[in-house]
Amino acid sequence: MTAIDFAAFVNDLADLSARTIAPFFRSAMTMENKAGHGAFDPVTEADRAAEAAMRARIRQTFPAHGVEGEEYGDERASSEYVWVLDPIDGTAAFISGLPLWGTLIGLKRNGAPVYGMMCQPFIGEKFYGDCGQSRYQRGAETRVIRTRRCASLAEATLSSTSPHLFSEAEAGAFDRVRRAARLTRYGADCYAYCLLAAGHIDLVIEAGLKPCDIAPLVPIIQGAGGVVTTWDGQPATHGGRIIAAGDPTLHAAAMRLLAGAA
């Protein structure tokens, strides 16, 4: 099977997750803090229920496939095909009633991302791609999406989930890019990468990402013509410090300003 053969299954998996999450959004729910020492990393009933439902469907349909998930860890991670799941990327937005969160579903083959989807069920949007082409879907509307050409930082719109993601050295490097950019917006989590793929944002810079935060987004960004790597130019699949750009020239310019962050 090729990546595209899994497209219908990924769509069904996203719909299953959406049905599971919907009753929890903007309602009272149980929440825990996964972080310690004064940090805050929330997880909700909705996160766990949606991931459990998706894992069960994958096991039933593709029992030989592996799964890497935000809430329940790894299963058969050395398999040829491995699913990467983040049921609610942007849980802080979710618990605040903001629709800037999404379900991330990715598929890796032999360790490389080959298909990804971001589903925002409250708004009814899906962004998906296979590294060769990316699409946007809302209701009956489906269209190909492309990043926009923007070679100059002075003309660029920059996004990051929060300036508080960064260490002191990372914050200094990010600020060099921020001061050079035309506009900076915060708070979009996975949504920012999809808006980049659709040509509305030019640059996304973050740190501390887990593999499930970024691996499903790589095929969407690349399929739309964008570039996504770590700050030192390595593949983004394993997370860490991530930079995504719609234009390769812009990516290179931002990389020069990020250089030297400890």
Side-chain angles (χ1 to χ4, degrees):
M1 297 180 76
T2 65
I4 199 65
D5 294 325
F6 292 106
F9 178 73
V10 174
N11 193 66
D12 290 343
L13 210 57
D15 290 344
L16 171 64
S17 177
R19 291 193 300 271
T20 306
I21 291 170
F24 294 98
F25 186 51
R26 294 182 177 172
S27 69
M29 73 187 89
T30 301
M31 177 183 63
E32 297 177 18
N33 182 12
K34 294 190 289 185
H37 310 292
F40 184 53
D41 185 11
V43 59
T44 71
E45 298 170 86
D47 293 87
R48 291 176 173 147
E51 185 171 323
M54 288 190 288
R55 281 176 178 266
R57 183 66 59 85
I58 291 167
R59 287 191 208 101
Q60 180 184 41
T61 310
F62 301 110
H65 288 195
V67 180
E68 297 174 0
E70 168 75 1
E71 306 306 333
Y72 295 110
D74 297 350
E75 300 176 25
R76 297 179 299 279
S78 61
S79 300
E80 178 183 3
Y81 287 104
V82 176
W83 296 90
V84 184
L85 306 175
D86 190 349
I88 301 177
D89 183 88
T91 304
F94 182 86
I95 64 174
S96 302
L98 301 170
L100 295 177
W101 53 274
T103 296
L104 296 180
I105 302 170
L107 179 65
K108 296 192 297 184
R109 186 178 188 187
N110 296 323
V114 293
Y115 195 88
M117 174 178 283
M118 192 286 278
C119 171
Q120 211 310 313
F122 186 75
I123 297 174
E125 293 183 322
K126 291 175 179 174
F127 298 79
Y128 52 96
D130 63 358
C131 296
Q133 187 180 81
S134 294
R135 291 180 174 272
Y136 168 83
Q137 178 184 333
R138 186 170 187 265
E141 177 191 7
T142 302
R143 57 182 169 84
V144 174
I145 54 174
R146 297 288 299 175
T147 61
R148 65 185 175 194
R149 298 301 91 189
C150 177
S152 168
L153 276 165
E155 299 297 320
T157 297
L158 166 67
S159 179
S160 185
T161 295
S162 170
H164 305 301
L165 290 172
F166 305 111
S167 68
E168 184 176 348
E170 291 168 346
F174 175 81
D175 199 55
R176 289 195 291 272
V177 183
R178 183 195 62 77
R179 285 186 277 110
R182 179 175 64 179
L183 174 66
T184 302
R185 303 297 298 168
Y186 296 106
D189 288 282
C190 61
Y191 217 94
Y193 295 94
C194 294
L195 293 177
L196 182 145
H200 305 297
I201 288 174
D202 303 296
L203 190 63
V204 182
I205 298 176
E206 302 199 288
L209 269 62
K210 301 172 186 175
C212 60
D213 296 327
I214 190 65
L217 294 164
V218 169
I220 303 172
I221 297 164
Q222 292 181 346
V227 182
V228 55
T229 67
T230 62
W231 288 17
D232 55 0
Q234 298 302 306
T237 311
H238 301 296
R241 300 188 294 191
I242 300 298
I243 173 173
D247 188 307
T249 302
L250 183 66
H251 181 272
M255 288 274 284
R256 287 191 291 270
L257 293 180
L258 293 173

